[in-house]
Amino acid sequence: MDALVSLDYKFVRNIEPTAPFNFDATFHKPDHFPSGDNAWQPGCRWQSMLWQDQPLGLLFEDRGSVNSPLVQLSIFAQNELAASFLEGVVEEVNYRYNLQMDLSEFNHLFSGDPQLGSVIHKWLGMRPMHYGSLYEYLNVAIVLQNATVRRSVNMLQALFEHYGRRLAFDDKALYCYWQPQAIYATSEQDLRNLKVGYRAKSIKRVSDAFAQNEMNEFSLREKSVDEQRRALLNLYGVGPASVGYLLFDVFHRWDYLSYISPWEQTIYSRLFFNTQIDDPVATATLIEYFTQHYRGYRMLAVHYFWEDLFWKRKNEKIEWLEELIRL
DNA sequence: CATCAGGGCCCTG
DNA sequence: CAGGGCCCTGAT
């Protein structure tokens, strides 16, 4: 299955994000684990995308500034694409990367906050984003479960190699996701052979739900948070931790925060209550704290702190954090 | 060499 | 609603 697909057609579109806009903090998230479907360097992000059965290569380039943002998007494809198709890609890209997000209220409310204020100032215009579809994110969420980062990386890579394709564009070769039908057509044992362990059952059942149109990301986007939450929890293999990530990253629910996993608990306790690693405060206390301080944008506020921390980690060693991130 | 926990979730009692 | 079991791996 590991065929190299050459994307020889190129189409260029300009996108004007809302200002202020921080290109690198939006297009690169140092806390995301490395994944074979994208690459980044300052001012550039390469990304594969499977859109309406078409394997695409995307290249985003920073052509503006914080206050006068401009992103040049190059779309690479196997063949000629209609203007309407390209418009659809641009619209979806605007959605996934939150390029038209209005941050003015968030900035206004919290730029004077003793802790969040300086972080907002430092990363002014940063957007949360997830580059993939709901189905793609679910695969990531599942391989994250109860595994070390290295193992999660290996599992996703094995899935790419077995069910995905490699796309060649702009001198890059990046893996592209598969359709859920590819796994609908396979067996749980085939998945287990890729050493995903008991997650095989979740991957299979989630893929089956999408292949049989029991899940529709686009209609789900129109529903209420509660309906979205219920629909996601209804999927086998999705629990409180995954649903939190999904509602924030895929459904853009900036205030949804109802579960904090143990390792996040340790980090937040250290950041907000200055506790020792082995003595974190209760998650209920943390949630109460976020509710008091960042009501309306609780998870977005957490995202700003989180990204700030992982950008720091990228540039300097943070010893207490290294202990918590077991590769 | 054996043991264990890891960026959860399901199922049972 | 607490707790055991689950696949596999790398660390100890």
Side-chain angles (χ1 to χ4, degrees):
Chain A
M1 275 292 209
D2 194 4
L4 193 60
V5 179
S6 184
L7 306 179
D8 298 323
Y9 290 77
K10 178 178 173 180
F11 309 88
V12 177
R13 292 289 186 276
N14 282 322
I15 298 177
E16 288 181 41
T18 44
F21 177 66
N22 184 320
F23 182 94
D24 287 316
T26 299
F27 281 100
H28 180 61
K29 301 294 182 186
D31 55 315
H32 288 187
F33 69 71
S35 161
D37 63 349
N38 69 73
W40 170 82
Q41 66 184 48
C44 298
R45 182 190 175 95
W46 295 262
Q47 176 69 56
S48 70
M49 182 180 188
L50 187 58
W51 181 246
Q52 296 178 358
D53 294 329
Q54 289 277 344
L56 304 175
L58 306 181
L59 167 59
F60 299 92
E61 292 173 277
D62 186 8
R63 292 293 166 86
S65 60
V66 173
N67 292 314
S68 182
L70 184 66
V71 173
Q72 181 180 293
L73 170 62
S74 301
I75 302 169
F76 298 83
Q78 282 178 290
N79 38 49
E80 195 67 43
L81 296 173
S84 58
F85 181 95
L86 293 165
E87 277 171 39
V89 173
V90 170
E91 190 183 340
E92 183 65 8
V93 158
N94 271 310
Y95 177 84
R96 291 185 184 180
Y97 297 81
N98 293 297
L99 298 180
Q100 305 305 325
M101 181 178 184
D102 182 2
L103 279 163
S104 55
E105 186 182 60
F106 176 76
N107 290 340
H108 175 71
L109 283 173
F110 305 115
S111 60
D113 182 85
Q115 265 192 294
L116 186 51
S118 61
V119 177
I120 287 180
H121 181 71
K122 189 169 169 187
W123 302 108
L124 191 66
M126 173 174 71
R127 319 294 159 95
M129 68 89 170
H130 191 262
Y131 52 84
S133 66
L134 170 59
Y135 172 70
E136 291 160 5
Y137 196 109
L138 281 161
N139 284 279
V140 173
I142 291 167
V143 299
L144 274 172
Q145 293 167 10
N146 203 25
T148 54
V149 173
R150 189 192 311 276
R151 184 159 181 233
S152 297
V153 170
N154 290 343
M155 288 189 278
L156 189 61
Q157 181 62 22
L159 289 166
F160 274 137
E161 288 174 12
H162 203 75
Y163 298 104
R165 284 172 290 181
R166 220 148 46 113
L167 311 182
F169 66 99
D170 197 49
D171 294 327
K172 297 274 179 210
L174 296 174
Y175 281 96
C176 183
Y177 273 89
W178 53 92
Q179 297 285 14
Q181 286 79 3
I183 289 182
Y184 180 62
T186 197
S187 68
E188 191 180 317
Q189 188 56 48
D190 281 340
L191 286 164
R192 277 183 176 263
N193 294 343
L194 303 180
K195 302 176 192 289
V196 299
Y198 60 83
R199 298 167 198 78
K201 188 173 178 184
S202 304
I203 295 171
K204 177 76 176 127
R205 288 182 62 167
V206 164
S207 299
D208 292 355
F210 277 83
Q212 298 178 94
N213 289 318
E214 288 162 19
M215 288 292 289
N216 183 309
E217 174 173 7
F218 303 100
S219 57
L220 203 50
R221 283 183 191 172
E222 309 302 320
K223 302 285 172 62
S224 69
V225 193
D226 284 337
E227 289 173 289
Q228 291 169 344
R229 184 179 149 279
R230 270 199 304 274
L232 295 170
L233 286 173
N234 197 36
L235 291 168
Y236 187 91
V238 175
S242 300
V243 93
Y245 300 145
L246 289 160
L247 286 174
F248 179 74
D249 283 321
V250 180
F251 293 100
H252 305 172
R253 298 298 182 174
W254 310 135
D255 194 40
Y256 188 87
L257 178 67
S258 66
Y259 176 82
I260 296 176
S261 67
W263 80 295
E264 292 166 336
Q265 177 190 9
T266 312
I267 291 174
Y268 300 156
S269 295
R270 167 87 191 206
L271 287 181
F272 299 102
F273 292 86
N274 203 26
T275 56
Q276 298 299 312
I277 298 294
D278 56 359
D279 187 29
V281 304
T283 58
T285 309
L286 289 169
I287 292 175
E288 194 182 322
Y289 178 88
F290 292 132
T291 304
Q292 272 175 15
H293 291 258
Y294 307 118
R295 187 187 299 280
Y297 291 98
R298 287 176 298 176
M299 196 59 211
L300 185 59
V302 166
H303 180 73
Y304 267 70
F305 287 116
W306 195 257
E307 293 306 315
D308 184 48
L309 180 64
F310 277 82
W311 276 103
K312 272 186 202 149
R313 175 179 179 252
K314 201 181 175 84
N315 300 321
E316 58 190 272
K317 272 272 181 287
I318 306 175
E319 280 196 28
W320 65 268
L321 184 58
E322 293 311 309
E323 291 174 32
L324 294 171
I325 303 172
R326 302 180 61 94
L327 295 177

